[in-house]
Amino acid sequence: MAKLLLEDKVVLITGAAGGIGRATALLAASEGARLALTDVAADRLAAVAAEVRANGGAALEVPADLTSGESVDAMVTAVVEHYGRLDGAFNNAGVSGGQIGQGGRRAGEWEETAFDRALAVNLKGVWLCLRAELRQMGSQGGGAIVNTASLAGLAGFKTTAGYSAAKHGVVGLTKTAALDYAPTIRINAVCPGYTDTDLMKDAMRRGGDAIMARIPAARLAQPEDIAEMACWLLSDRSAYATGGTFVVDGGYLAG
């Protein structure tokens, strides 16, 4: 019988309550991972964890404020106390401009507090998770980390100033950390294209027809499309991949 993609690996997923995080949790569990899950939406997170368990998987719910170093460190400690180790991490939590009231605003029109929030969650939160994960993985001799970036971390998109700035930062952080920790810890970024999640609702409401006209695949990505890439990058089958930005966009950037 073929070995499962993530068999017996302990994997932490942030932003696990919906969209890409939920899809990755379900796929990772089906591929043999034991999961630790966190999200600010406690009720939805509990539902995802229950779904994993109902399908025979293991899922630990871990509360955390990803903008607080103390809270993130405690999160990783809780995972290790429960499972004994941490083999993989998917730093996926994030917020869009639309979710913080800045949808459609040009760069000079963003509110300062909203810009700070975008950076705090989408960039600082990734770095805080990365820091805690690297400490643990370093102590145990290795691991794999995947950060969620975006097409907006590789190119400019109108009215996404705080989000795009943060996601460009995630790409740079990923590349630098990969160099710092090779060859024992692999660190990559997945860059989703327009994906059918709550995060995209504002953009699709304001410009859905124009967006669809730019996608050669003629559809939005489904969360499962991104989950497949994330799980592959967390697995040993991607053993030679580190420092990469893996685009899953239906051909959008190729046009």
Side-chain angles (χ1 to χ4, degrees), residues 5-6 11-33 35 37 48 52 89-92 146 148 190 192 222-234:
L5 190 67
L6 296 169
V11 174
L12 168 66
I13 299 174
T14 73
I20 292 168
R22 173 184 174 273
T24 304
L26 295 177
L27 179 59
S30 75
E31 290 288 353
L35 302 179
L37 308 174
V48 173
V52 169
F90 184 31
N91 298 322
N92 170 69
V146 179
T148 296
V190 62
Q222 293 302 304
E224 292 76 12
D225 295 319
I226 316 305
E228 291 283 355
M229 179 62 78
C231 286
W232 180 75
L233 290 170
L234 289 169

Side-chain angles (χ1 to χ4, degrees), residues 105-116:
R105 297 192 182 194
R106 296 179 297 173
E109 299 166 348
W110 272 58
E111 297 170 0
E112 183 177 355
T113 54
F115 196 91
D116 287 345

Side-chain angles (χ1 to χ4, degrees), residues 7 13 18 48 51 54 81 97 102 124 127 151 157 176 179 182 189 202 205 230 240 247 251 253:
E7 190 169 327
I13 299 174
V48 173
E51 192 173 0
E81 287 178 349
Q102 307 304 293
K124 183 182 177 183
W127 172 70
L151 296 190
F157 287 78
T176 299
L179 295 175
D202 180 71
R205 178 185 58 80
Y240 202 60
V247 176
L253 284 188

Side-chain angles (χ1 to χ4, degrees), residues 31-205:
E31 290 288 353
R34 293 175 289 163
L35 302 179
L37 308 174
T38 191
D39 198 289
V40 294
D43 290 346
R44 289 196 297 152
L45 180 66
V48 173
E51 192 173 0
V52 169
R53 296 184 195 112
N55 290 323
L60 172 70
E61 299 161 58
V62 190
D65 173 2
L66 300 185
T67 67
S68 161
E70 182 179 359
S71 181
V72 169
D73 290 346
M75 172 185 71
V76 172
T77 296
V79 175
V80 176
E81 287 178 349
H82 186 80
Y83 287 119
R85 58 186 297 109
L86 177 64
D87 302 300
F90 184 31
N91 298 322
N92 170 69
V95 294
S96 69
Q99 289 175 310
I100 51 177
Q102 307 304 293
R105 297 192 182 194
R106 296 179 297 173
E109 299 166 348
W110 272 58
E111 297 170 0
E112 183 177 355
T113 54
F115 196 91
D116 287 345
R117 180 64 179 168
L119 293 182
V121 176
N122 295 336
L123 179 55
K124 183 182 177 183
V126 170
W127 172 70
L128 289 173
C129 289
L130 189 71
R131 183 179 67 167
E133 293 152 4
L134 287 168
R135 289 169 176 166
Q136 174 58 33
M137 291 177 183
S139 72
Q140 66 189 38
I145 297 171
V146 179
N147 300 322
T148 296
S150 170
L151 296 190
L154 301 172
F157 287 78
K158 290 181 178 180
T159 70
T160 67
Y163 182 80
S164 184
K167 293 301 187 178
H168 272 76
V170 170
V171 169
L173 175 62
T174 298
K175 292 179 177 180
T176 299
L179 295 175
D180 285 342
Y181 290 89
T184 55
I185 303 172
R186 296 186 304 103
I187 306 165
N188 291 287
V190 62
C191 298
Y194 287 97
T195 306
D196 189 9
T197 67
D198 288 344
L199 186 142
M200 284 307 307
K201 285 183 177 179
D202 180 71
M204 292 303 294
R205 178 185 58 80

